[in-house]
Amino acid sequence: MAIKYSVLLIFPLMLLLLSPESNRQKAAFRAHYKGMLLYSEAQYDRAVRQFEKAHNIIPENYNFTLSLALGLSRVDRADEGLSLLQKSDILLSSDDPDGAQKLATRSFLKGMVLLYADRAGGALQPLEESIELQQKLGDAKRLSIYYNALGYATMLNQGGSDHGSDTLGWHYHVHRRDLIRSLKFFDQAVKYDTKNATALYNYFLVRDTLGMEGLKDYYAQQDSAGPEPVGELPGNTDRTLEFTNYEELLFLLDLSGSMVMEKVPCMGATRFDVMKQTALFILDSLPETTQLGLGSIDGDCWTEPKAWDAVGALSRYDMRYRLRFLVPNGTTPLLERLQASPELFSTDNQTRKSIFLISDGANVCNANGDDICDWAAQLSQRKITINILTFLDATESNTNAFAEYACLADNTGGDILYMDNYRCGYEYFGASMVEQCLPRIPNLRKVTCWGSAHQNLWAVER
């Protein structure tokens, strides 16, 4: 089926003139992306400047608000961060499909802001709340991060002192019973994610401190291991299934030349092959009631796609056949294909609809001067969600592509997975700020600050 380009001329959602407002939107997402990269490099002052830029342009963006709040806590402006979190309530919509996850994330980040401000006692309640909320949603990796932070806050929720005769300087006092309490939380963190190196470190440090056997060889193996690839699939490919809970699902696949020329380094297979195997895995995992469609991003600007099948037009057998025999061809006219893609869905307003975009590049075509951020904001009115899987590295060189992805996902209530070659797995781009929150315990040292009669007292340096 050819793209009905005539529809583009009459469909009001599709043609929006490029405006200063659209430029501002993209600038905001670019700034937020740069801020996330700088934050991951511990360049907190520079990260905050980027987060402030993004937040000032779109103050109603919930994710921008959370990132700025966390960033402020790293530059001695925690009270400003807490104030932002307090005000973020009004940014949550009651019909937001991701609302429960956003609440859990906010509670966790509130706890982290308090931790970074040396208010461990105040951090306990929001961290406990985040765990309670997240347990209803699942996601073992997040729960591991949350429990690690709770263990750290439990250990640091102590009195401190600075003894003039002690070479330690300012330090926290930790009693044996407090170590045991924190150990329980670190143990939970490890159970949820045995690849969480920080939780493993904290767990075994406390175990060794308490005089238990540390299983150091096991720790070393777990710290260095990543998800094991299964055939031509990353070990955590089942994460993609979280993008498929819709009655109508359109696969929009990138067939550009770079997909076959570039490899996924940790797997030794091309991006194209991994994409096809991932799509086949998803297809085999979906309920029979899911209506499927297929579109391709290939050719060049204003050329017809190789695949353009409406949702519900293909049987499972036909879909599998089409996926297996897709051939790379051309560039990445991303916005043109996205603009035309609503025609592949039904007109039933009651069904949940989603575009599952798998790509490794940014838009290359002018698309009549339309802006991808403006278009995504308009598409949300059609209640079509865009979820994205990309093989691009989350680095500064890919700022423009990730800014576009963020516009698409954020404006339509979707999410982004990217291939992390270091861990050889699909990771949530939106969770990267949470994944930076991995406090590690400094070395513990036994002390006699309370006199020789107190043999179960340790110090944690500030």
Side-chain angles (χ1 to χ4, degrees):
M1 180 185 296
I3 294 182
K4 300 174 184 176
Y5 286 109
S6 59
V7 175
L8 302 181
L9 301 176
I10 60 174
F11 188 32
L13 301 182
M14 301 308 171
L15 292 179
L16 295 168
L17 294 176
L18 188 63
S19 65
E21 178 59 29
S22 65
N23 288 333
R24 283 170 58 81
Q25 270 208 64
K26 190 173 291 186
F29 282 99
R30 286 175 61 87
H32 184 252
Y33 177 75
K34 289 179 179 179
M36 292 171 73
L37 294 179
L38 290 166
Y39 188 95
S40 70
E41 298 168 357
Q43 299 187 52
Y44 300 125
D45 286 314
R46 294 178 62 195
V48 166
R49 288 196 289 273
Q50 292 295 330
F51 289 149
E52 287 179 324
K53 180 179 178 180
H55 183 261
N56 288 338
I57 296 173
I58 313 180
E60 65 274 15
N61 187 291
Y62 190 81
N63 294 326
F64 293 177
T65 300
L66 297 190
S67 296
L68 177 56
L70 183 64
L72 289 169
S73 71
R74 306 311 300 268
V75 294
D76 298 323
R77 295 166 61 186
D79 285 338
E80 293 178 57
L82 291 171
S83 178
L84 277 174
L85 292 175
Q86 183 69 29
K87 297 174 182 176
S88 65
D89 272 341
I90 61 174
L91 304 180
L92 275 180
S93 170
S94 59
D95 59 355
D96 187 339
D98 202 32
Q101 181 59 73
K102 288 180 177 179
L103 285 172
T105 302
R106 184 183 65 177
S107 292
F108 173 70
L109 293 182
K110 179 180 179 181
M112 293 307 304
V113 169
L114 289 163
L115 261 185
Y116 291 138
D118 289 330
R119 305 181 207 171
L124 293 174
Q125 188 273 330
L127 290 175
E128 290 169 349
E129 181 180 81
S130 70
I131 290 172
E132 181 180 351
L133 293 170
Q134 193 67 51
Q135 284 176 331
K136 298 175 183 177
L137 301 168
D139 195 333
K141 187 171 184 177
R142 280 181 180 258
L143 284 164
S144 177
I145 293 170
Y146 293 4
Y147 267 111
N148 179 72
L150 181 57
Y152 184 87
T154 299
M155 179 172 288
L156 272 293
N157 182 29
Q158 315 295 333
S161 63
D162 183 6
H163 305 289
S165 59
D166 198 316
T167 57
L168 275 177
W170 181 270
H171 57 272
Y172 294 97
H173 293 138
V174 185
H175 194 272
R176 182 182 180 86
R177 60 178 176 270
D178 301 311
L179 287 178
I180 293 174
R181 288 178 62 219
S182 65
L183 179 65
K184 292 178 181 178
F185 296 128
F186 294 136
D187 182 48
Q188 284 293 100
V190 172
K191 286 179 179 177
Y192 273 111
D193 183 6
T194 59
K195 309 302 182 186
N196 185 337
T198 300
L200 283 161
Y201 174 88
N202 291 338
Y203 173 74
F204 285 113
L205 176 62
V206 175
R207 280 194 57 169
D208 289 345
T209 299
L210 290 170
M212 302 177 185
E213 289 297 320
L215 301 176
K216 294 179 182 178
D217 290 341
Y218 171 76
Y219 163 65
Q221 292 171 5
Q222 294 297 326
D223 191 21
S224 60
E228 292 293 331
V230 180
E232 292 181 338
L233 290 176
N236 63 353
T237 300
D238 57 351
R239 281 189 166 180
T240 60
L241 299 180
E242 297 177 22
F243 288 178
T244 63
N245 189 26
Y246 302 89
E247 282 88 23
E248 298 185 33
L249 183 64
L250 173 66
F251 285 95
L252 191 57
L253 307 183
D254 186 346
L255 308 188
S256 61
S258 61
M259 288 288 286
V260 74
M261 289 188 291
E262 298 287 343
K263 287 190 173 183
V264 178
C266 67
M267 299 181 67
T270 67
R271 294 172 175 175
F272 188 75
D273 286 338
V274 177
M275 175 187 72
K276 286 202 299 182
Q277 292 303 318
T278 299
L280 287 166
F281 166 82
I282 294 169
L283 178 62
D284 291 338
S285 305
L286 290 173
E288 288 295 329
T289 53
T290 304
Q291 297 294 300
L292 299 174
L294 178 63
S296 61
I297 304 169
D298 56 354
D300 208 340
C301 305
W302 297 110
T303 60
E304 294 186 1
K306 293 294 183 183
W308 203 250
D309 300 289
V311 168
L314 296 175
S315 68
R316 287 294 198 274
Y317 174 84
D318 291 336
M319 185 73 164
R320 190 172 289 105
Y321 181 86
R322 296 295 299 274
L323 287 172
R324 288 189 183 280
F325 293 98
L326 289 174
V327 178
N329 171 45
T331 61
T332 315
L334 174 60
L335 182 53
E336 285 183 8
R337 302 297 157 82
L338 282 170
Q339 286 176 324
S341 60
E343 72 183 30
L344 298 181
F345 289 97
S346 75
T347 57
D348 186 349
N349 293 326
Q350 302 304 312
T351 60
R352 292 171 298 166
K353 302 176 176 68
S354 177
I355 297 170
F356 194 149
L357 169 64
I358 307 181
S359 178
D360 74 342
N363 178 52
V364 298
C365 295
N366 185 37
N368 281 340
D370 291 2
D371 178 75
I372 203 164
C373 292
D374 278 345
W375 179 83
Q378 295 295 321
L379 184 69
S380 65
Q381 298 176 14
R382 288 282 302 272
K383 298 188 184 303
I384 299 175
T385 301
I386 300 178
N387 291 300
I388 300 165
L389 171 62
T390 180
F391 292 97
L392 290 178
D393 295 323
T395 60
E396 187 171 2
S397 61
N398 292 321
T399 297
N400 189 57
F402 272 93
E404 291 184 353
Y405 294 154
C407 277
L408 292 169
D410 199 80
N411 280 310
T412 64
D415 213 333
I416 303 169
L417 283 170
Y418 71 98
M419 168 55 77
D420 185 328
N421 285 295
Y422 177 75
R423 287 178 279 194
C424 201
Y426 294 139
E427 303 298 331
Y428 283 102
F429 175 69
S432 61
M433 291 294 288
V434 169
E435 292 175 9
Q436 300 298 321
C437 298
L438 291 167
R440 180 178 287 222
I441 302 168
N443 287 332
L444 292 162
R445 172 175 162 180
K446 203 160 191 179
V447 293
T448 57
C449 301
W450 295 351
S452 57
H454 294 274
Q455 295 298 312
N456 291 315
L457 188 68
W458 285 263
V460 181
E461 292 183 75
R462 186 173 180 178

